[in-house]
Amino acid sequence: MAEVLLVVGVVVAMFVAYNIGGSTTGPAFGPAVGAKAISKPVAAGLMGLFFFVGAWTIGRNVVTKLGTELVVDPGVFTLESSIAVLFFIGIALLVGNIFGVPASTSMTAVGAIAGLGLAGNVLDLAVMGEIVIWWVVSPIVGFWVSLIIGRYFYARFNRMVAMERSTGPLLDVDRSGPIPIPRVHETTNRRELVGTITVVAIGCLMAFSSGTSNIANAVAPLVGSGELAMDPAIILGGIAVTIGAFTIARRTLDTMGSDITELPLTAAIVVASVSSALVVFLSMLGIPASFVIIATMSIVGLGWGRATRPVTVPEAVRKEKAPPVTIDALAADEPGEELPPIGEEDPDKIPQASDLFNPATTARVVLMQNVVPAIATLGAYLTFRFVPIFGI
């Protein structure tokens, strides 16, 4: 019976990892695929590779935190309870997909495990408090870092990475020798090459950061139960993520690739860099992080910083001018354009076409990112507290 339950647990864990691969490949490599820098199969392969590297290295910290440190008695992770926790994580993915909002699997995993710990009176409140504090602090840090970049460095960065596509292919393959050697095509310009390398590198960084944080969402309960060792758990999770990247992620790659014009490529690179760096940092501390919430606040901070360039700090403090936050504010700087000093930029050069972020949509994202984990916590608590089969 135990062997059957273990197989069921592994299948459920791989299903969760499969969905993680499907939902995170698009945000990571959508810009690169949309810019025709790489193909979908190459994006899926890179996703699987860098996710596994992140999981195998830093991701162990988060698996340990969720699987053994969040509860004072890891024995509470029986096979039955581990499967139930993974079930709640899977339900969170389903709810997020139904509402069109990517639910945070990290926050939901913590919520489900916290519900288990509360039901068994074994939740480590100090560890839980540390996680919650970082959940509050990290989006604020992302907002301010992005705001500073938007205000002082965005225009310069935009001129560096703005891609000017040439008519020919990016690379040629020299097959004259025994080993094919890729070479830069003669029509490829330097800006195009730098931009392409940058957007692909950012995708790899996002895949790596996803591995450092999200692997725990799929395997931590089974590792905490002692029924599955760390190394095979990470390998199985990595395989499932790769399968998801090659299959169901194709649709998210289409969506992210075609919708990237809603967020300029330069802005997408900045947001992805700031968010990924914060997620990797938190993973090194063993803290599971919500990439979506951090990225959302980074977008708001970046747009706000860019829109405040016509306003000096004293003017902003005195509220003499109300800075607009627009998509065009991020896209206004053209390559080669000289940037006037802070406070001297013409506000008319920043068109008021449309808001960078829709307040209603932003509120829905943030609300769902907190409601779904709360539902998982309450559902897990009630299940483990009142369903006799778990014996908590």
Side-chain angles (χ1 to χ4, degrees):
M1 182 63 180
E3 290 79 5
V4 174
L5 282 176
L6 178 59
V7 171
V8 172
V10 169
V11 170
V12 175
M14 292 188 71
F15 176 73
V16 173
Y18 173 81
N19 279 280
I20 291 172
S23 62
T24 57
T25 303
F29 290 100
V33 172
K36 293 182 171 44
I38 56 176
S39 64
K40 291 179 184 177
V42 171
L46 290 174
M47 180 69 199
L49 173 62
F50 282 92
F51 183 97
F52 179 78
V53 172
W56 188 263
T57 54
I58 302 175
R60 297 169 181 269
N61 300 334
V62 186
V63 174
T64 300
K65 179 80 73 173
L66 293 189
T68 61
E69 297 180 11
L70 188 54
V71 293
V72 295
D73 179 16
V76 74
F77 282 115
T78 63
L79 271 176
E80 294 86 350
S81 64
S82 298
I83 293 172
V85 167
L86 290 170
F87 170 78
F88 282 112
I89 298 172
I91 290 297
L93 292 173
L94 177 62
V95 171
N97 289 331
I98 290 175
F99 284 91
V101 177
S104 171
T105 51
S106 294
M107 295 178 69
T108 305
V110 172
I113 295 173
L116 170 63
L118 287 171
N121 198 28
V122 293
L123 179 64
D124 191 322
L125 296 178
V127 174
M128 187 67 199
E130 178 188 9
I131 292 174
V132 171
I133 288 173
W134 278 112
W135 281 352
V136 174
V137 170
S138 56
I140 296 175
V141 173
F143 172 85
W144 281 105
V145 170
S146 299
L147 187 148
I148 292 172
I149 293 174
R151 182 171 171 84
Y152 298 104
F153 305 106
Y154 180 85
R156 186 178 298 109
F157 183 61
N158 184 51
R159 291 196 296 272
M160 292 172 56
V161 304
M163 294 176 63
E164 298 175 352
R165 296 308 306 268
S166 58
T167 56
L170 183 69
L171 299 173
D172 289 324
V173 179
D174 183 0
R175 294 184 171 87
S176 59
I179 301 177
I181 301 176
R183 303 184 187 280
V184 178
H185 188 71
E186 59 181 8
T187 62
T188 301
N189 57 69
R190 179 179 178 274
R191 185 179 299 279
E192 179 184 11
L193 182 62
V194 172
T196 300
I197 293 174
T198 301
V199 74
V200 174
I202 292 302
C204 294
L205 174 62
M206 291 179 67
F208 177 84
S209 68
S210 178
T212 64
S213 182
N214 283 328
I215 188 64
N217 304 326
V219 305
L222 290 179
V223 173
S225 70
E227 299 291 340
L228 192 62
M230 178 78 76
D231 288 354
I234 292 176
I235 291 173
L236 290 172
I239 291 174
V241 166
T242 303
I243 295 173
F246 273 100
T247 54
I248 58 175
R250 300 180 72 87
R251 179 172 297 179
T252 59
L253 281 169
D254 283 335
T255 300
M256 295 302 296
S258 61
D259 292 346
I260 193 65
T261 53
E262 295 181 7
L263 189 66
L265 181 60
T266 306
I269 292 174
V270 172
V271 170
S273 300
V274 173
S275 304
S276 297
L278 281 171
V279 170
V280 171
F281 170 74
L282 293 178
S283 297
M284 293 175 67
L285 300 180
I287 305 296
S290 173
F291 185 92
V292 174
I293 289 183
I294 296 175
T296 299
M297 295 309 298
S298 295
I299 291 172
V300 176
L302 181 64
W304 195 267
R306 178 62 190 92
T308 58
R309 279 197 55 85
V311 186
T312 62
V313 173
E315 289 173 336
V317 171
R318 294 194 302 265
K319 299 181 179 180
E320 292 181 2
K321 300 179 183 179
V325 182
T326 66
I327 288 180
D328 293 337
L330 293 177
D333 302 303
E334 296 294 335
E337 180 184 0
E338 290 297 328
L339 198 65
I342 297 289
E344 297 181 14
E345 188 165 359
D346 185 358
D348 293 334
K349 284 191 174 183
I350 304 180
Q352 311 298 306
S354 56
D355 291 335
L356 172 64
F357 64 98
N358 185 304
T361 301
T362 303
R364 182 165 61 94
V365 169
V366 174
L367 179 65
M368 289 297 297
Q369 290 285 313
N370 289 276
V371 167
V372 171
I375 292 174
T377 304
L378 180 60
Y381 172 78
L382 295 175
T383 300
F384 293 121
R385 180 70 176 83
F386 297 108
V387 177
I389 188 176
F390 296 108
I392 301 299

